[in-house]
Amino acid sequence: MATEFDLSPPEIPEPTFFDNILRYGLFLGAIFQIICILSILLPSSKSSEPEWDQSETKSLDLTKKQKPTTPASGKKAKKESKKKR
């Protein structure tokens, strides 16, 4: 019953060069992700109207000004029948 236990700390190998690169790369990646998330949550808009809103309203104005030209349905049916032959 008198068994001796090895109470010394386990041998941990020294981190290699690749291990260090991996560790610091992961830290930098995490910091970059936090910065990206914060930039989404805390936008710093200097103009009164965001840039994407201005381009959206311009595109809506252009679509309103253009009148759609649709060909007559009779001509369309004739063209389709010729293609079928």
Side-chain angles (χ1 to χ4, degrees), residues 5 15 19 29 35 61 64 66 79 81 85:
F5 293 108
D19 290 337
I35 290 170
D61 292 341
K64 288 179 184 177
Q66 296 173 349
K79 289 181 181 178
S81 63
R85 291 184 187 175

Side-chain angles (χ1 to χ4, degrees), residues 11-81:
E11 293 183 21
I12 300 174
E14 290 292 321
T16 62
F17 180 70
F18 179 72
D19 290 337
N20 287 332
I21 290 176
L22 186 64
R23 180 187 309 157
Y24 292 119
L26 288 172
F27 282 131
L28 289 175
I31 291 169
F32 178 74
Q33 287 182 356
I34 290 171
I35 290 170
C36 290
I37 291 170
L38 288 177
S39 69
I40 292 171
L41 295 176
L42 305 172
S44 60
S45 177
K46 294 180 181 178
S47 65
S48 61
E49 189 175 341
E51 193 172 302
W52 59 273
D53 284 343
Q54 293 172 355
S55 63
E56 184 177 318
T57 55
K58 288 180 184 177
S59 64
L60 289 176
D61 292 341
L62 291 175
T63 56
K64 288 179 184 177
K65 290 180 183 177
Q66 296 173 349
K67 293 182 180 178
T69 57
T70 55
S73 61
K75 291 180 182 177
K76 193 174 187 181
K78 287 181 185 177
K79 289 181 181 178
E80 288 177 2
S81 63

